[in-house]
Structures are given as C-alpha cells and as structure tokens.
Amino acid sequence: MKAEIISIGTEILLGQITDTNASYLAGQLPLLGIDLYWASQVGDNRRRLVEVMQRAWGRSQLTITTGGLGPTEDDLTREAIAEVLGEEMTVDPALEQELREFFRRISYEMPDRNIKQATLIPSAQAIPNPRGTAPGWWVEREGRILVAMPGPPQEMQRMWEREVLPRLRTKAEAGVILSTTFKTFGLSEAGVDELISALLSSANPTLAVYAKPEGIQIRLTAKARESEEAKRLMAPMEARVREILGERIWGTDDDTLEGVVGGLLTGKRLSLATMESCTGGLLASVLTDAPGSSAYFRGGLVAYSNEMKSAWGVDAKLIEERGAVSPEVAQAMATAARLKLGADIGIGITGVAGPTEIEGKPAGTIYIAIDDGRKRRLISGNYPPRRPDVKRWAALAALFELRRALLEP
Amino acid sequence: MKAEIISIGTEILLGQITDTNASYLAGQLPLLGIDLYWASQVGDNRRRLVEVMQRAWGRSQLTITTGGLGPTEDDLTREAIAEVLGEEMTVDPALEQELREFFRRISYEMPDRNIKQATLIPSAQAIPNPRGTAPGWWVEREGRILVAMPGPPQEMQRMWEREVLPRLRTKAEAGVILSTTFKTFGLSEAGVDELISALLSSANPTLAVYAKPEGIQIRLTAKARESEEAKRLMAPMEARVREILGERIWGTDDDTLEGVVGGLLTGKRLSLATMESCTGGLLASVLTDAPGSSAYFRGGLVAYSNEMKSAWGVDAKLIEERGAVSPEVAQAMATAARLKLGADIGIGITGVAGPTEIEGKPAGTIYIAIDDGRKRRLISGNYPPRRPDVKRWAALAALFELRRALLEP
C-alpha cells in the first residue's frame, strides 16, 4: 500500500512549529508494512490545500492528513476534502450532541463556529477524539483511504493508536510486522549503536536505535506471513539484545519508568518519600504520573532553600560544612524524607539546575541518594546544563537507580 | 518571492529522523520577506526526486533543497537537478583539488566515489562547506534560483548563514516580516476566534489563532519595507487585541507563565509555598523551571495521602467531613502551606487526576486555593480526564490565578 502524509498549518511553513506529526506517522507506517512515498506541508490556504490533496488522492492508496480540523476560519481540511471528492458537508446530529456534551463537561459555552467540527460528508465516518473537540475523518471511496486527524500531537497520537492503526491493520496487505521496543537509560546513542553494531546489519528482523528524552530505545521489528512466524524470528534477536544490554534495559514498549518502579514498590509492599532541591518537585510529579501511585508514594518535600532543608531534618551544620550541593547533603535529604514522611525508602536530590553555578559547582552537577533504612546508595552525575534537561535527567536517573535498588535480592 | 523547500532522504520518510532542516529554514525565510508556499520530503529515489524538483522549478522562484549531496549511490540531488535542467555534470578541477585537500587534512585516502562531490553543471556555482565534503550548489537560470545544501544540520546551517542568506538578501524583494505572539489562558480556540473575528480578515497585519498546551495564542504579523513601518502597522492592531482580550493575555513571545509570576513575586518581594495533592509536585516543578526561582519559592509539599495532609496542618476532621477533594480542603492546604513553610502566599491544589473517580467526584475535578494572609481565592475546574493533562491544566490554572491575584492593587 502506497501512503502519503500531508501536514496542514501555516505555523509549520513559518517555522514556528516543527512537524513532528509527520515523523511520528512515518515511523508507524512500516509497522503495518505500508510504504510512505510522499510527505508534504501546506499552509492554511484552500487552493493550495486542495491541489496537494488532489495529487495525493490520485497517486496514493492511503493519504493521512494532520491539522486544520479546528473550529476557526483558517481550519480548512474538511472543506478541502469535500471539494476534492465533490461531496457536500452536512452537520451530523450525533456528532453535534457529543460536541455539546464535551463543552458541558468542561463547563464552557460552545461557540457557534465549533459546529463545523460536527460535519461529515457521505464518504466519511467520524473518528472519536476524546482529547479534543475535533473528531477525525475516515474517508473511503474507490478503494482509496483518506484519514484526517487533528494537529495537536497528543490528540493525533491517541487517535492513531486507538482508532486508525487498528482499522488500517485490516486493510494493509497480508503479512504482519511485529515490533518490540527496548527502553534503556544511561547509555548514549552511539554507545548503544556500538554495543549492538554486529546485529544492526540483520535484514529480518531489523534493529533500529532511537534517542528519546527518556533514554535510548532499540526497536526490534520482524516481518512475516503470520505472528507466530514473526515471533519465532524475533526471539533469538531479543535474547542477544538483552544479553548485551542487560540491566540497562528497564522496560519495553509502553512501559514507563515510573510505572515499572511503581510495580516493584507495590510488589514489595514498600512506601516511598522524596526530598528534592534542584528538581523542584519533578521527581514527585513523575512518580505520581503513574495511576495508583497513592498506594506507595507517601509524599514529597520540595526543599528549595537551605532553611527549608534543615527545617525538615537536614543538619544545618552539614550543609554549612559540605555545601548544599554535596553527596553528604543528598544522603541526609534521603534519610530525612524517609523519617519525616514515615516511608520505607527515601530519595534525596540536590544539584545545580543552572544556568548559573552554585558553591562553585557547575550547572548540571547532580547528587542523588536513596536510603532504604538498611543501605544507602548515592549516584552523582553531570549533565549538559540546560535547566529543564538537567531536571528531567535527574528525575529519571533517580527512578532508574531506585529500580536497580528494588531489583537487588 | 515564492519559495519552496524540499528535504531529501529516505531516513526522513522512515521516521528515523525528524526534518528539522525544513523548520529551521521556514523560520529564516520571513526575515528576508520571502514567502514559503510549499515544503515536502522525498526519499532517495531518482524518479520521485526529479518529479518533485520539476514541479518546484516550475512554480517557485526559489527552491531550497537539503540532503542527498553525499558521495554514495543513493545521494541523487545533483543528478536530479541536472536532469530537471537538462544540463550535464562535469568534474570541476578546482573543486576536486579542494576535496582532495580536505581528505589530506583529515589524513584519509579519498574514496573514488567522493569525486561526484566535485561536480557542477553550467548553471551551478559551488557553495563552500568547510564542515564537510559536500559543497552546495547555487543554481540560477531564467530568473529562478535553486539552492542545494547538505543534510547534516550543522553543515546546512553554517552554509545558510554564511553563504546563502547574504546572497539571497541581494535577490529578495526588499522587506521584512515582524511578528508578535500574545499568550492567553482560560479561553477556547473558537472562543478567542469569535472575540477577535472582526480582526481576522485584516490582510496586513494579519492575526492567526493557535492552540498550544499552555493556552491559546494569537500571532500578529506585519509585512513592510523596513521594521519601523512594520511596527507602525502592528501598533493599532496590538492595541485592539489587548483591549478585547484584556487580562486574559498573560504574556507575549518567549514569556512563560512561571517566569511572569516569578517576576511579579520578585517585584513585590513576596515568597510562595505550595501544598499539592493531585498535581503531585508538578506546580512546584513548573515554578522552579524559572531560573532564580529560589529567590521567592520557599518550598512545596506533596501531600498525596490524607494522613500527610493532616500531618502538615490540614484539619483531619475537615477532610473527614468535606472530603479530600473539596474547596474547603484546598483552602486549608493553601493556608497550611503558607504557615508551615513561612511564606507570604500559599497555594493548595486538590482534585482527581484520574483515571478513576474519588469520593464520587469524576476524574478531572480540580480545586485550587490561594491564600495571601489577607484574602483567600478559590477556583475550581473540570478538565477532560487524561491524567497528565489534568495535572498540567491544574498547575497552569494555579499560576494564572496567582498572576491575577498579584496584579490586584
């Protein structure tokens, strides 16, 4: 199946946003055995939009558009599709009701112009979008498919995963492509590449290495006539990858580090508490991104000032002597968190988020301590000083180290 | 001048890399007053590459390509340009010498296939590329310009800044495009659209509305011969927008809500403390994303359990009677944060992050309280229940409300 992606929005052509939707979708299509031949961006201009869609409809069995489904006058995707197919847009009563429901839930008065988000053409079915007001369109005619999805990445990605991917699976040519992603932490892309370089030449299954904010990921993909065969192809390669990367792999596919850690804590009936300085609450926030985290997360302290640290049980003299950004203070914070909040395990993080140095320590300096009452662990790191990155890296490093501690016999 | 960007490389269509070159260049063209009408990605396939270039050469005065200038067989940009223009590629002796020089410097034997990087066509001049082995091509014929640059962003950006931008300045029609973005919170996209609809038809300056995670944004763009004139065009429109949206506008351009709030707290010499339940530390984390926040942020408590809330000064009986997710408890949390952490202002957030309801309250229910010792404010909201969205919305709503409080005389 030949596919084409059209990303719609003047903000893309003005360079105000990078078109990450196209690269996300481009990465998804191979999993369906669908070949992407064309990708293009077009502004909120009806004539040009229609021209690009006309060409796509003519040359590609599958056209995927993102953007232009909003309620405003320069959201023209629906109008363009209707024009290209020569069909008429009408308001769908069921969609209109859902839309009004949505606004009632968030207690907003529905503006009149949102009504166009409840329209359809004869060849189009609506694709649900619980994350926004713009349902997608699944258009099918003359053996061709056009899928229109909203531009906001979260809305688009959910719609793709839950609604579009499953429908396309049934349409795509026979044969399956199975894929597993291994998620690592604490390795560089080049590092992973080198470690598994011998495997990268394999044609089926294939291995690909991606750098993601939460660490380097390795995707293992096998193509076969049916799943069983694909799984047989993947098994030995997965074994090699796990053998090489070992405990650096903290999860696969939809796993999140906070979810993995949460599972371990729940399994061991252990509770957790945090005291954060430079991460300013990010670790606690990431921990509580996991549903059900209230079962094991006792609470967190954001001790941004030294008075606050000592008020919560960190020896003021220690801060004086060693400095607020020191291994000793990280340790003391972990212990204080554990005792103050009555948890089994305490984590303390202190460091320099940047941009300016503290106590002569450069931005990016991080000390993370974990105290489970029996044993104390400390890791330190130095991360390229960009404030949000430093915070994220420190929070993830803390979770990764906690996982390691929880896996110890 | 009408411009078009073509990004070349199969790795883009496989989603292995995101096409950041296109967004970089898209952001540069307005500075030259050049309009970008089209952008597309194409793989390392000669037939499709020629087709895309043919169309570009036909409809755009300026075509910019990136990628496909390497030495390997699937680097086909030069061949495609030569085919589209019907000109012949020949090795340029001067270029060949430079290329051999380059390899001598890095003490490598030059592989034979690199020789194609020393080729030109009659209409093309070479553009120097000290960062790599691939010189660019500046092609000019029949009043049209085609610029071919290498794919690696560092090589491309240097070539753009040092070589291409200056040449284009002399070619592009005189003129500049200036732009300001107004950032709002608490309004829907269609809502903003309706409020300013009367202004949306303006041709120069133009207004555009965008939905971003941190709220709806309005971009004002003016085109003129020089900056002063553009500013004169923008001034009255900015005044109208501010008049209509008033205090809903919390900032412009690079402003962040935490930065704006931080500036107000610093200016008023006020300190802040937080107690968070459902946001799990996200508010504290966002607050501390602002450099220098240690000056006004006293600290934060993440009270995820009821024991924790009462341990930190929230009346257990109140929780019992009103429920942990209630306006009264949010109020008590704000006050407790203020007193416990000795801050001028306390913020308390309680709610249901989801996915499951609590105390019969649906996921997405949020209560936010602000206590500055003189006055207590409370806002409540109900947000579409997706855990990370609820948390983010609540944290932003708290910051927006705090800003409002700080702006009061």
Side-chain angles (χ1 to χ4, degrees):
Chain A
M1 188 184 252
K2 257 195 228 170
E4 173 153 5
I5 294 172
I6 302 171
S7 309
I8 299 153
T10 299
E11 66 271 36
I12 302 172
L13 292 186
L14 285 170
Q16 285 164 340
I17 61 171
T18 303
D19 181 16
T20 53
N21 285 342
S23 47
Y24 170 83
L25 291 169
Q28 291 283 308
L29 292 172
L31 309 177
L32 292 162
I34 296 175
D35 298 314
L36 179 64
Y37 276 61
W38 316 91
S40 57
Q41 293 76 38
V42 58
D44 303 313
N45 170 289
R46 180 148 175 180
R47 194 179 53 70
R48 289 194 286 279
L49 188 47
V50 166
E51 184 188 329
V52 170
M53 273 190 194
Q54 208 117 43
R55 189 176 305 119
W57 184 257
R59 70 187 171 186
S60 308
Q61 287 94 27
L62 171 64
T63 301
I64 303 173
T65 74
T66 62
L69 293 180
T72 73
E73 282 160 8
D74 46 355
D75 291 303
L76 296 163
T77 302
R78 296 182 200 79
E79 290 79 354
I81 298 173
E83 183 175 336
V84 168
L85 273 65
E87 299 187 12
E88 201 189 322
M89 287 166 63
T90 53
V91 173
D92 179 88
L95 284 180
E96 178 176 358
Q97 202 189 336
E98 279 173 32
L99 196 56
R100 297 198 179 277
E101 250 321 300
F102 179 94
F103 277 93
R104 202 164 300 120
R105 267 213 317 285
I106 61 172
S107 36
Y108 269 116
E109 170 83 11
M110 178 176 120
D112 296 343
R113 64 191 53 195
N114 275 86
I115 195 68
K116 78 185 226 177
Q117 299 188 302
T119 53
L120 282 178
I121 54 172
S123 303
Q125 301 169 293
I127 312 173
N129 175 16
R131 290 189 188 168
T133 61
W137 274 16
W138 176 281
V139 181
E140 204 165 345
R141 210 178 80 181
E142 302 146 16
R144 296 178 181 278
I145 299 169
L146 186 150
V147 180
M149 293 189 285
Q154 304 165 332
E155 296 182 30
M156 188 281 290
Q157 288 184 23
R158 183 199 177 282
M159 187 177 287
W160 171 263
E161 285 162 18
R162 306 275 191 88
E163 308 285 343
V164 179
L165 193 65
R167 297 186 203 200
L168 282 175
R169 266 224 182 77
T170 66
K171 305 277 179 187
E173 283 116 24
V176 293
I177 297 189
L178 290 192
S179 177
T180 312
T181 300
F182 304 99
K183 299 179 169 181
T184 72
F185 185 80
L187 293 166
S188 74
E189 184 172 11
V192 171
D193 222 78
E194 222 169 85
L195 286 167
I196 63 170
S197 56
L199 312 179
L200 288 171
S201 51
S202 160
N204 188 25
T206 58
L207 278 183
V209 180
Y210 302 99
K212 293 290 167 77
E214 66 268 35
I216 304 303
Q217 305 188 349
I218 299 96
R219 192 167 74 195
L220 169 60
T221 309
K223 209 166 179 172
R225 278 190 311 287
E226 24 56 41
S227 322
E228 279 323 303
E229 188 187 343
K231 285 180 189 145
R232 269 196 303 280
L233 285 167
M234 288 164 82
M237 185 66 93
E238 164 157 7
R240 305 252 335 247
V241 171
R242 289 192 175 279
E243 184 188 312
I244 293 168
L245 297 175
E247 58 108 48
R248 284 293 175 182
I249 298 175
W250 56 260
T252 61
D253 300 326
D254 298 337
D255 290 344
T256 64
L257 207 35
E258 63 272 17
V260 168
V261 166
L264 290 167
L265 287 167
T266 310
K268 295 191 158 196
R269 292 190 167 12
L270 293 172
S271 62
L272 178 69
T274 58
M275 191 186 297
E276 305 177 62
S277 177
C278 62
T279 44
L282 182 60
L283 174 58
S285 178
V286 172
L287 276 163
T288 56
D289 280 340
S293 40
S294 52
Y296 49 82
F297 185 57
R298 293 278 296 149
L301 303 164
V302 181
Y304 222 54
S305 65
N306 290 349
E307 313 88 276
M308 209 47 71
K309 289 186 187 74
S310 41
W312 284 331
V314 178
D315 179 359
K317 219 163 116 287
L318 186 74
I319 299 175
E320 178 88 23
E321 287 169 11
R322 307 295 185 168
V325 179
S326 62
E328 294 79 4
V329 167
Q331 295 278 18
M333 289 169 72
T335 306
R338 187 170 68 81
L339 301 176
K340 275 272 173 192
L341 306 187
D344 301 309
I345 303 173
I347 299 182
I349 303 182
T350 181
V352 187
T356 46
E357 60 169 39
I358 297 178
E359 300 169 353
K361 285 130 189 158
T365 309
I366 300 285
Y367 297 103
I368 300 167
I370 300 178
D371 176 359
D372 64 6
R374 295 175 294 106
K375 188 172 168 200
R376 296 163 131 217
R377 308 168 148 259
L378 181 97
I379 56 171
S380 63
N382 198 300
Y383 201 78
R386 200 182 137 261
R387 196 173 171 91
D389 296 349
V390 173
K391 288 177 65 179
R392 198 190 60 237
W393 181 86
L396 292 174
L399 288 175
F400 186 70
E401 192 59 23
L402 174 58
R403 169 181 168 274
R404 197 182 262 162
L406 290 168
L407 286 176
E408 273 193 356
Chain B
M1 189 185 251
K2 259 194 224 171
E4 172 152 5
I5 294 173
I6 303 172
S7 308
I8 299 153
T10 299
E11 65 273 35
I12 302 171
L13 293 187
L14 285 172
Q16 284 162 349
I17 61 171
T18 302
D19 181 16
T20 54
N21 285 342
S23 48
Y24 171 82
L25 292 169
Q28 291 283 308
L29 292 172
L31 309 176
L32 291 163
I34 296 175
D35 298 312
L36 179 63
Y37 276 61
W38 316 90
S40 55
Q41 293 75 38
V42 57
D44 304 313
N45 170 289
R46 180 150 176 177
R47 193 180 55 69
R48 288 194 287 277
L49 187 47
V50 166
E51 184 189 329
V52 170
M53 274 192 193
Q54 208 118 43
R55 190 175 304 118
W57 184 257
R59 69 187 172 187
S60 308
Q61 287 94 24
L62 170 65
T63 302
I64 303 174
T65 74
T66 61
L69 293 179
T72 74
E73 283 155 8
D74 45 350
D75 291 304
L76 297 163
T77 302
R78 295 182 199 79
E79 289 79 355
I81 297 172
E83 184 175 336
V84 169
L85 272 64
E87 299 186 13
E88 202 189 323
M89 286 167 64
T90 53
V91 173
D92 179 87
L95 283 179
E96 177 175 0
Q97 204 190 335
E98 278 173 33
L99 196 57
R100 297 198 178 277
E101 252 319 302
F102 180 93
F103 277 93
R104 203 165 298 119
R105 271 210 312 286
I106 60 173
S107 41
Y108 266 108
E109 171 80 12
M110 181 178 110
D112 297 342
R113 61 183 182 185
N114 277 83
I115 193 68
K116 76 187 230 174
Q117 297 188 302
T119 54
L120 281 178
I121 56 173
S123 303
Q125 301 170 292
I127 310 173
N129 175 17
R131 291 193 183 164
T133 62
W137 275 15
W138 176 281
V139 181
E140 204 164 345
R141 210 177 80 180
E142 302 147 16
R144 296 177 181 279
I145 299 170
L146 186 150
V147 179
M149 293 189 286
Q154 308 161 324
E155 296 182 29
M156 188 281 288
Q157 289 183 24
R158 184 197 176 283
M159 187 177 287
W160 171 261
E161 287 161 15
R162 306 277 191 86
E163 309 285 345
V164 180
L165 193 65
R167 298 188 203 197
L168 281 175
R169 268 224 180 77
T170 66
K171 305 276 180 188
E173 297 122 16
V176 292
I177 297 185
L178 291 191
S179 179
T180 312
T181 301
F182 304 99
K183 299 179 170 181
T184 72
F185 185 79
L187 292 165
S188 73
E189 183 175 6
V192 170
D193 211 67
E194 233 167 47
L195 285 169
I196 63 170
S197 56
L199 311 179
L200 288 171
S201 50
S202 159
N204 187 25
T206 58
L207 278 182
V209 179
Y210 302 106
K212 294 288 168 78
E214 66 267 35
I216 304 303
Q217 305 187 351
I218 300 96
R219 202 185 61 250
L220 169 61
T221 308
K223 205 167 175 175
R225 276 190 312 288
E226 23 57 37
S227 317
E228 280 322 303
E229 189 187 342
K231 287 180 187 144
R232 271 197 302 281
L233 284 168
M234 287 164 83
M237 185 66 94
E238 165 156 8
R240 303 260 324 257
V241 170
R242 289 192 175 279
E243 185 187 310
I244 294 168
L245 296 175
E247 57 108 51
R248 282 295 176 183
I249 297 174
W250 57 260
T252 60
D253 299 328
D254 298 335
D255 289 342
T256 64
L257 206 36
E258 62 273 17
V260 167
V261 165
L264 290 166
L265 287 166
T266 311
K268 297 192 157 194
R269 291 193 162 41
L270 292 172
S271 61
L272 179 68
T274 57
M275 190 186 299
E276 305 176 63
S277 176
C278 63
T279 44
L282 182 60
L283 174 58
S285 179
V286 172
L287 276 163
T288 57
D289 280 340
S293 40
S294 52
Y296 50 82
F297 185 57
R298 294 277 296 152
L301 302 164
V302 181
Y304 222 54
S305 64
N306 290 350
E307 313 89 275
M308 208 50 68
K309 290 185 186 76
S310 42
W312 284 330
V314 177
D315 178 0
K317 217 161 119 289
L318 186 74
I319 300 176
E320 178 89 20
E321 287 169 12
R322 307 294 183 168
V325 179
S326 63
E328 295 79 2
V329 167
Q331 295 278 21
M333 288 168 74
T335 306
R338 188 170 67 81
L339 300 176
K340 274 272 172 194
L341 305 187
D344 301 310
I345 304 174
I347 299 182
I349 303 183
T350 181
V352 187
T356 46
E357 62 169 39
I358 297 178
E359 300 168 351
K361 286 130 190 159
T365 308
I366 300 285
Y367 297 104
I368 300 167
I370 299 177
D371 177 358
D372 65 6
R374 297 174 294 105
K375 188 174 167 198
R376 295 163 129 216
R377 308 167 147 259
L378 181 99
I379 56 171
S380 64
N382 196 300
Y383 201 77
R386 192 180 149 260
R387 197 174 171 91
D389 294 351
V390 173
K391 289 177 65 178
R392 198 191 60 237
W393 180 86
L396 292 173
L399 289 175
F400 186 70
E401 192 60 23
L402 174 59
R403 169 180 168 276
R404 195 182 264 160
L406 290 168
L407 286 176
E408 273 191 357

